[in-house]
Amino acid sequence: MNILTILGSSRKDGNTEQLANQVTAGLPTTFLRLKESQILPIDDLRHEPGGFQKVDDDYAPYVEQLAHHEVIVFATPLYWYGMSGRMKNFVDRWSQSLRDPDRSLRDAVQGKPAVVVVTGGDAPGVKGLPLIQQFHWIFEFVGMNFLDYVIGTGNKPGEILQDKAALAKAQSINHLLHTLK
């Protein structure tokens, strides 16, 4: 089994990445750091005669990565009570990919297990729940299997390692992922 972890954080080795590492420990994992790429927003032209326009950025290889991995982990800090802007741009681009006759996003992710990892500093266990619900609806729409999620508390670098409940939940998800081998 191979895992693709999509990191929406703007920090390298930040709390979100540290918690995602706990979820995927000991498993073959590819990390795609959205901060190291350029994924541009698009105009919604799906109802226009020409449809969506081609965009010259780093998005297409990410969609291909979705197809080549068996489990997808979406890891994002809780920014203003939602996913990071980088993650949102990535997910928003799915509208374009769903209409691409050469590369169907739905085919790439159909039935694949998805895990969500969220960290934040302002009561994320409560205030992050609407984001978890949002991911649930996104996964349902594209036919992914929402396996589980973990929300951790961490603001300053390394604080996530003090959140024993989040670390225990990450370990539980890790055990679950090991059973999927």
Side-chain angles (χ1 to χ4, degrees), residues 115-178:
V115 173
V116 177
V117 175
V118 175
T119 62
D122 183 20
V126 173
K127 296 178 179 179
L129 290 175
L131 176 56
I132 299 303
Q133 187 67 51
Q134 181 181 17
F135 273 110
H136 168 82
W137 296 125
I138 290 166
F139 299 153
E140 182 178 284
F141 186 80
V142 297
M144 295 181 82
N145 175 20
F146 192 174
L147 194 61
D148 208 345
Y149 71 92
V150 57
I151 301 175
T153 302
N155 189 16
K156 293 179 184 173
E159 278 185 347
I160 192 61
L161 301 176
Q162 305 307 311
D163 185 342
K164 302 301 182 203
L167 294 175
K169 178 70 184 271
Q171 185 177 35
S172 173
I173 296 170
N174 179 269
H175 288 301
L176 178 59
L177 292 174
H178 272 87

Side-chain angles (χ1 to χ4, degrees), residues 3 29 155:
I3 298 172
T29 306
N155 189 16

Side-chain angles (χ1 to χ4, degrees), residues 5 32 37 65 81 148:
T5 298
L32 294 178
S37 64
Q65 289 288 334
Y81 314 103
D148 208 345

Side-chain angles (χ1 to χ4, degrees), residues 4 6 62-72 74 90 94 98 104-114 138-146:
L4 177 66
I6 301 168
Y62 278 42
V63 174
E64 291 176 24
Q65 289 288 334
L66 291 171
H68 297 306
H69 290 81
E70 297 165 317
V71 176
I72 313 299
F74 295 83
F90 177 68
W94 289 12
L98 287 168
S104 171
L105 174 78
R106 196 168 265 124
D107 290 343
V109 300
Q110 188 71 37
K112 290 188 179 181
I138 290 166
F139 299 153
E140 182 178 284
F141 186 80
V142 297
M144 295 181 82
N145 175 20
F146 192 174

Side-chain angles (χ1 to χ4, degrees), residues 62-96:
Y62 278 42
V63 174
E64 291 176 24
Q65 289 288 334
L66 291 171
H68 297 306
H69 290 81
E70 297 165 317
V71 176
I72 313 299
V73 175
F74 295 83
T76 181
L78 186 64
Y79 285 166
W80 290 104
Y81 314 103
M83 66 182 78
S84 70
R86 286 178 166 93
M87 184 70 75
K88 185 70 168 97
N89 272 350
F90 177 68
V91 172
D92 280 350
R93 288 290 292 277
W94 289 12
S95 295
Q96 180 184 25

Side-chain angles (χ1 to χ4, degrees), residues 34 37-41 55 57-59 62 86 89-90 93:
L34 295 175
S37 64
Q38 181 184 35
I39 297 178
L40 299 170
V55 178
D57 65 5
D58 301 323
Y59 173 73
Y62 278 42
R86 286 178 166 93
N89 272 350
F90 177 68
R93 288 290 292 277

